[in-house]
Amino acid sequence: MALDEKSMVDGFFGEFGGRYVPEPLIPVMDELKDAFYKYKDDPDFKKELAYYNKEYIGRANPLYFAEKLSQKYAAKIYLKREDLNHTGAHKINNTIGQALLAKRMGKNRIIAETGAGQHGVATATACALMDMECIIYMGEIDTKRQALNVFRMELLGATVIPVKTGGRTLKDAVDEALKDLIENYNDTFYMLGSAVGPDPYPTIVREFQSIIGKEAREQILEKEGRLPDYLVACVGGGSNAIGLFHPFVNDKEVEIIGVEPGGKGNKPGENAASLNFGNKGIIHGFKCFLLEDDNGEISSTYSIAAGLDYPGVGPEHSYLKDSGRAKYALAYDEDALAAFHELSETEGIIPALESSHAIAYGLKLASELNEDKIIIINLSGRGDKDVQQIAELEK
């Protein structure tokens, strides 16, 4: 891939991030970046975004005190209820913001990638709302394990294209979406779903997802009169996590913990834990920690949660790890499944499998703490989409 040195001046988080893209995409990224910085602080844009956040998505969503879990594990456990958003996950925060940006750029053909399908559903939802054409790329394996979300996307008017190349999961869906953008950039807006990709995408996604942490910060100060001791969120690409973490990064008394998918084990191909097992490298136009095989090629990955099944991770997470500001732990499939059941049975909340990784680690952490400690766990999505998959697994 051609590297444009001029574009590398900013868009970095330490040494991570940047813009390593084919030459035809350089002006596309410049146009997007200019539009983003033009509109993100524009009063009319902010007013319209605030309207949809409140009246359409349903924000602010609760910071729920999980009383029964707190009694069981001693520490105070709060859940940031992104599962209560319209469409059932945090993804809608980003797609509404990007759709409003695309509208101002005069682009009405929207493409996106999706893994678990929640970003695809949120993209299709925003496109239906704003009368935009919507094409979703989804790995063929993911279309089967998330068939309900495929139906939702089609119901909302989107065209879902199963990707049959490579591992047929999220990485391959991103590859196909980028190819589409290169061929159709004049009238097409790529609505990237996680805090990954070339500059300015990680910053754009963080901007729209930071509402999670901003609300949580206000809510915990109101409820407890102080900041939490710990923040916990699952990390695949990392958008829900960076949305929670970013508003707290300068609060050194708050420990930040991302939870990666340990999958079936620690060997290559058994997990998708880039920050725990990866090396520094370039994927999809940006530098991050990523999983490679012995030949230096992108490694195959695995996670029970389709939305975490990605061989790289957001550049800001890579920087937070490298700088020591955040810790990145593991939760294995069996941990996530146990947490899925425990939250369902104890609090009456069925979490997404992705979120279940954060729940698993959060409960383990709580069991090691005193009752005066406070943990906020980001409940990034609801588990409706996963119930059939788990039912099949547990037959």
Side-chain angles (χ1 to χ4, degrees):
M1 283 188 174
L3 175 62
D4 175 43
E5 293 297 332
K6 177 174 68 67
S7 71
M8 304 302 292
V9 173
D10 55 4
F12 277 89
F13 304 89
E15 68 178 284
F16 302 99
R19 187 192 294 176
Y20 302 81
V21 297
E23 194 167 344
L25 285 184
I26 293 169
V28 180
M29 295 298 107
D30 283 341
E31 179 191 22
L32 175 62
K33 187 167 186 172
D34 289 345
F36 170 65
Y37 282 102
K38 176 181 178 180
Y39 290 115
K40 77 179 185 71
D41 295 321
D42 175 75
D44 289 338
F45 182 87
K46 291 173 72 174
K47 182 178 179 181
E48 191 174 8
L49 179 60
Y51 169 81
Y52 284 112
N53 278 335
K54 180 181 178 183
E55 303 293 342
Y56 192 72
I57 298 175
R59 308 200 70 95
N61 55 40
L63 183 67
Y64 170 70
F65 177 54
E67 186 174 1
K68 291 172 69 181
L69 285 176
S70 298
Q71 289 172 350
K72 180 176 179 179
Y73 290 99
K76 289 185 175 180
I77 299 169
Y78 283 89
L79 305 177
K80 184 56 175 160
R81 297 291 306 276
E82 294 299 301
D83 60 310
L84 295 179
N85 290 343
H86 179 46
T87 72
H90 68 291
K91 294 294 187 181
I92 193 74
N93 304 327
N94 175 48
T95 62
I96 291 293
Q98 287 200 45
L100 292 174
L101 184 58
K103 186 168 73 169
R104 282 163 171 78
M105 294 174 70
K107 307 213 176 207
N108 289 307
R109 180 179 182 268
I110 306 298
I111 61 172
E113 86 300 329
T114 196
Q118 285 303 117
H119 174 59
V121 169
T123 300
T125 300
C127 288
L129 176 67
M130 299 188 189
D131 197 24
M132 293 170 160
E133 181 185 0
C134 183
I135 295 96
I136 306 291
Y137 291 94
M138 189 173 188
E140 186 181 36
I141 288 174
D142 294 336
T143 64
K144 293 176 180 177
R145 59 180 171 178
Q146 295 293 342
L148 180 59
N149 272 342
V150 173
F151 180 70
R152 285 194 180 107
M153 288 180 253
E154 292 172 341
L155 192 63
L156 290 159
T159 299
V160 181
I161 300 177
V163 176
K164 301 179 181 181
T165 55
R168 297 175 295 147
T169 56
L170 181 56
K171 171 193 172 293
D172 312 290
V174 176
D175 289 339
E176 291 303 312
L178 286 170
K179 287 180 188 176
D180 185 316
L181 182 62
I182 290 170
E183 294 171 4
N184 301 291
Y185 58 83
N186 284 331
D187 67 344
T188 295
F189 185 100
Y190 180 17
M191 194 173 286
L192 215 163
S194 195
V196 298
D199 172 59
Y201 276 110
T203 305
I204 290 174
V205 176
R206 184 194 71 198
E207 173 74 16
F208 294 133
Q209 292 294 1
S210 287
I211 193 169
I212 300 170
K214 290 173 183 174
E215 286 181 3
R217 185 187 182 87
E218 291 179 6
Q219 291 165 327
I220 200 66
L221 288 172
E222 181 182 338
K223 291 172 182 292
E224 294 286 347
R226 69 178 184 88
L227 295 178
D229 298 288
Y230 299 90
L231 301 174
V232 180
C234 66
V235 175
S239 65
N240 91 90
I242 209 65
L244 176 64
F245 296 167
H246 186 69
F248 293 90
V249 164
N250 292 326
D251 300 299
K252 302 304 183 185
E253 69 271 30
V254 179
E255 292 197 39
I256 295 174
I257 304 170
V259 185
E260 291 197 296
K264 299 173 182 176
N266 297 349
K267 296 178 182 176
E270 292 184 341
N271 61 73
S274 309
L275 291 162
N276 278 274
F277 302 119
N279 301 309
K280 297 174 183 178
I282 296 169
I283 184 173
H284 293 143
F286 70 103
K287 184 176 182 180
C288 66
F289 282 97
L290 56 85
L291 294 170
E292 298 176 319
D293 61 22
D294 293 338
N295 298 317
E297 300 294 327
I298 302 300
S299 174
S300 61
T301 57
Y302 163 79
S303 173
I304 193 173
L308 302 181
D309 196 355
Y310 183 66
V313 65
E316 194 162 359
H317 287 295
S318 298
Y319 172 71
L320 291 175
K321 171 191 165 67
D322 214 37
S323 66
R325 178 63 187 96
K327 168 186 174 182
Y328 292 87
L330 291 171
Y332 296 93
D333 282 2
E334 60 191 39
D335 304 323
L337 281 169
F340 177 91
H341 285 289
E342 184 163 7
L343 185 60
S344 299
E345 294 166 9
T346 306
E347 296 285 352
I349 300 170
I350 302 174
L353 274 174
E354 290 78 13
S355 314
S356 298
H357 288 71
I359 300 296
Y361 187 85
L363 297 183
K364 176 178 178 291
L365 175 65
S367 70
E368 300 166 354
L369 299 174
N370 298 324
E371 59 186 20
D372 62 336
K373 297 296 183 181
I374 299 170
I375 304 172
I376 295 178
I377 304 173
N378 201 25
L379 185 52
S380 57
R382 66 179 183 233
D384 306 31
K385 67 184 179 61
D386 300 312
V387 170
Q388 185 174 351
Q389 178 187 349
I390 292 172
E392 292 293 325
L393 282 171
E394 297 181 348
K395 273 184 178 177

